[in-house]
Amino acid sequence: MTTQTTYWLEHAWLDPNVEPGVAVDVTADGRIAAVRTGTETPPPGATVLRGLTVPGLANAHSHAFHRALRSTVQVGSGTFWTWREVMYGVADRLTPDTYHALARAVYAEMALTGITAVGEFHYLHHQPGGTPYEDPNAMGEALIAAADEAGIRITLLDTAYLSAGFGTEPDRHQRRFSDGTAQAWAERASLLKERPHARIGAAVHSVRAVPADQLGTVAQWAADRRAPLHVHLSEQTAENDACQAAHGCTPTQLLAEHGVLSARTTGVHNTHLTDADIALIGRSGTGTCMCPTTERDLADGIGPAVALQKAGSALSLGSDSHAVIDLFEEARAMELNERLRSRTRGHWTAAALLRAATADGHAALGWSDAGTLETGAVADLVTITLDSVRTAGALPRLGAETAVFAASGADVTDVIAGGRRIVRDGEHVLVGDVAGALTSAIAALH
C-alpha cells in the first residue's frame, strides 16, 4: 500500500525565490513530508509537473451566487447601489438545491485557476420572506457540500445581516438574510459543524447591517471559537456618511469600540479610510482583503493597501463578485492600481503579491498550515505553464514575476489540493465539464 507520493517540480516558488528541480514528498493524509531542492531529474515513480509550481491560492472573499451576474450587470451604467438591486433578484431565486449546483460549478471554476481554499461570505440563510428552512443551515450546508465535491477547502464565514441600514428593518429582499437578532444568528451558526475540508467562521456584513449594540455578540462568538471574523468595511463613502450621521464616528472606529477588530479579523475592501482608521486597523492586527477586480467593476475606488500594510495589516485577496475569477489578476491589479494612483512603480515585489494570494490568504481563513511549500504544510501544489502565449520567453528564475504580471488562471495546468489531484492538464478531475455545469446552474436562475 502506497503511503507517500512524490512530485517532481520542474521549477518551484519557494518563497521568495524560484528553484529548479524540486522534489516534494506528500503523505497519505495530504501533508508535505519533505521538500528537496537540487533534484535535477525526476526520482523513480515521481509525478512530473512541468512549468512553475506555487502553493495553492486562497480566495479570501467570495459570494458564490454573484457568479450568476457576470455580463448581465455589465449592461449600461449605474452605481454599486443599482448593481445591488440586480444582485437581489438573483438571490431571491436561489434554493438549497440550485445554490449547491451553482456553488459546485463556481468552486470548480476556482480550482481550475489554482484556488484551493475559499472564504465564502455567506448571508443567504433562509427562504425568501425570512422563514427558516427545515434545516436552518440548509443553504450553508449546500455550500460546504459544493466545496467538497469541487475538491477545495472552504471557510464558511456565516454572516450576521440584521438590518437594511442604521435603525432600518430589512427590506423584502433582505429578510431571508436576517436571523432577527445577533443572538439568534449565533444560535443558528453554532449548529454548523466543521469537517476536514470545512471550517466555520463568522462575519459582520457591515456596520449598516448589524446594529452597534449587537456587534459585540458576533465578535464574542468568533473569539470563543478562535474563529476567523470578516467584515465589509468602508466599501462605499455612503456607508461612512451614514455611520457618521448615526454614531458620530467612522465605521472603523465603531468596530473598534465594540471589539470587532483583532488579529483574527479581516476587513474586506477597507477602501475609504482616514489616517486614524488605518492606524486602528494596523495596531489591532486586523487584516485587509483587497478585491481589486470587483472594486474597479463597481467603481468603488482604490483602497490604501500600501498604507495599511505599513501600519501592520496583512493583505489577502478575493474575487468577491466574480466579475472574473483569477487570483493572479487580483494580485496584479493591487500593484497596478497603486501605480495608477501614485504614479510610481514597484510597491510590492512579485513574491509579496504571491504571498498575499497564498499564505496570507489561507491564514485569513483560519488555514495557517496551508499556502506554503514547506514540510508539514497542507500539500497544495498549483502548476502554471511557462510556455503559453502569455508566459513564454521569460527566464524561469523570474517565474514569480511571470505568474503575477503575465499569467492568468487559464495558464494553470495542474492542481493538487490536500494531496489530491483535482486538476490534470487543465481539466477538472471531479466535476468534468465545468463550463457546462456553470451554464446549466446559471440558466436555472434566469
Side-chain angles (χ1 to χ4, degrees), residues 83-108:
W83 168 90
R84 191 175 71 160
E85 291 305 310
V86 180
M87 178 269 287
Y88 283 157
V90 171
D92 287 343
R93 293 189 285 275
L94 284 163
T95 68
D97 287 343
T98 58
Y99 204 8
H100 171 266
L102 176 61
R104 176 178 177 269
V106 173
Y107 295 155

Side-chain angles (χ1 to χ4, degrees), residues 49 64 83 85 102 123 131 174 194 241 267 300 344 360 391 419:
L49 297 176
W83 168 90
E85 291 305 310
L102 176 61
Y123 53 83
T131 301
Q174 297 162 340
E194 295 196 337
D241 294 342
D300 286 342
T344 60
D360 290 345
T391 61

Side-chain angles (χ1 to χ4, degrees), residues 70 89 95 114-115 122 124 195 215 229 244 258 294 316 327 329 347 381 399-400 404-405:
R70 191 181 293 178
T95 68
I115 292 166
H122 167 58
L124 275 171
R195 277 141 265 198
L215 289 169
L229 174 61
Q244 285 283 359
H258 291 276
T294 291
S316 56
L327 263 287
E329 173 60 23
H347 302 279
L381 311 176
V404 171
F405 292 105

Side-chain angles (χ1 to χ4, degrees), residues 63-69 73 83-96 98-99 102 121-130 133 139 161 171-177 442 444-446:
H63 301 289
F65 75 95
H66 288 189
R67 175 63 179 81
L69 301 171
V73 290
W83 168 90
R84 191 175 71 160
E85 291 305 310
V86 180
M87 178 269 287
Y88 283 157
V90 171
D92 287 343
R93 293 189 285 275
L94 284 163
T95 68
T98 58
Y99 204 8
L102 176 61
F121 200 101
H122 167 58
Y123 53 83
L124 275 171
H125 301 307
H126 308 298
Q127 298 179 58
Y133 289 99
M139 296 293 267
Y161 192 137
D171 66 23
R172 64 184 181 86
H173 300 294
Q174 297 162 340
R175 290 186 194 118
R176 75 179 307 187
F177 309 160
I442 293 169
L445 300 175
H446 293 293

